[in-house]
Amino acid sequence: MFKFEGANILSVNQFDRESIEYLFRIADMMQPYAHRQKQTKVLDGAILGNLFFEPSTRTRVSFGTAFNLLGGHVRETTGLSSSALAKGESLYDTARVLSSYSDVIAMRHPDAGSVAEFAEGSRVPVINGGDGANEHPTQALLDLYTIQKEQHAHHAGIDGMHIAMIGDLKHGRTVHSLCKLLCLYQNIKLTLISPKELAMPAYIVDAINNAGHECIITEQLEGHLDADIVYQTRIQQERFASEAEANLYRGKFRLNQAIYTQHCKSNTVIMHPLPRDSRADANELDNDLNLNPNLAIFRQADNGVLVRMALFATTLGVQDIIQKYEAPVCWYSNKRDTVN
Ligand code: CP
């Protein structure tokens, strides 16, 4: 099994199925703390360096929230232009300095391979919050955790399921990492729906085929949405040479309630890593799906806190002593489970 304690989390390639199932059991244990039924101070005194050199809402804030929920403290820097990287400082030097201020670092950067390069200079574990179009391992873990929960609610598992991925599969790092994780499971059908210019990279399709899964590649939505999970993605405009080039593909694959009713199964679960592009020319996941109980996008985002808590607990080696540092919640709290 993968040794979490002290490890960098840079790629999903590091994990085997046993390690993922272990991590998900720890994530399950985090629910009472995330739901504010009780609190723990197990990481009191520990510092997270939360370094986001590319825009983020969910990943940055949920890393910080997860660390705070374990009792730790968070120091942040956001944006390349406000860091000394803009003055020509190397990732190695930045890592040497910031790792002496922190016990663990979470980092997002626009360049593929940058987080691994940073980790070489770090004296504390580094967790990849997304490196260019390469990988987004913690998103893939929370996606898989969500898939497991949603499938479980339908009395099914991950093995044998059908997932359809839609959109910019070329630049979407979340689908790259998720496909790699799905290769650890059995007998999955993957339908990859995209314009051919934005198709899933060949090395990932090869990995899917080598895992023995069924892989269908198509440019058509219709006839391919009767899956257990439909995973919609955004056109990753920031990875295109120009906005005009991204505009060629924006809005090509829209999903709304009418399409859902006509083409999906009655219990097909809709996922999206978010942000969804809700502008009129894109509207890839229409607001008219918001009351559909199978829209799992906000449950998915909530699960990010649980999985990131589990990653902090295991990389810092406190997963077995969380309850020892437990305390009651003494403020008004009425957190409800997300219905959709
Ligand atoms: N899913 C995701 O990475 O969202 P953010 O860009 O808001 O972090």
Side-chain angles (χ1 to χ4, degrees), residues 56-59 108 136 139 273-274:
S56 169
T57 296
R58 274 143 294 274
T59 313
R108 171 175 288 187
H136 196 343
Q139 178 73 43
L274 303 180

Side-chain angles (χ1 to χ4, degrees), residues 52 54-63 108 129-130 136 138-139 142-143 173-174 231 234 238 272-275 300-301 308:
F52 274 71
E54 201 181 41
S56 169
T57 296
R58 274 143 294 274
T59 313
R60 179 173 67 80
V61 178
S62 69
F63 267 127
R108 171 175 288 187
H136 196 343
T138 64
Q139 178 73 43
L142 77 88
D143 287 345
R173 57 193 173 197
T174 72
Y231 188 109
R234 178 179 63 87
E238 60 275 30
H272 190 304
L274 303 180
Q300 188 181 353
R308 291 182 174 116

Side-chain angles (χ1 to χ4, degrees), residues 112-133:
S114 53
V115 182
E117 185 183 336
F118 179 94
E120 285 173 18
S122 176
R123 288 172 276 180
V124 300
V126 176
I127 303 180
N128 184 356
D131 62 322

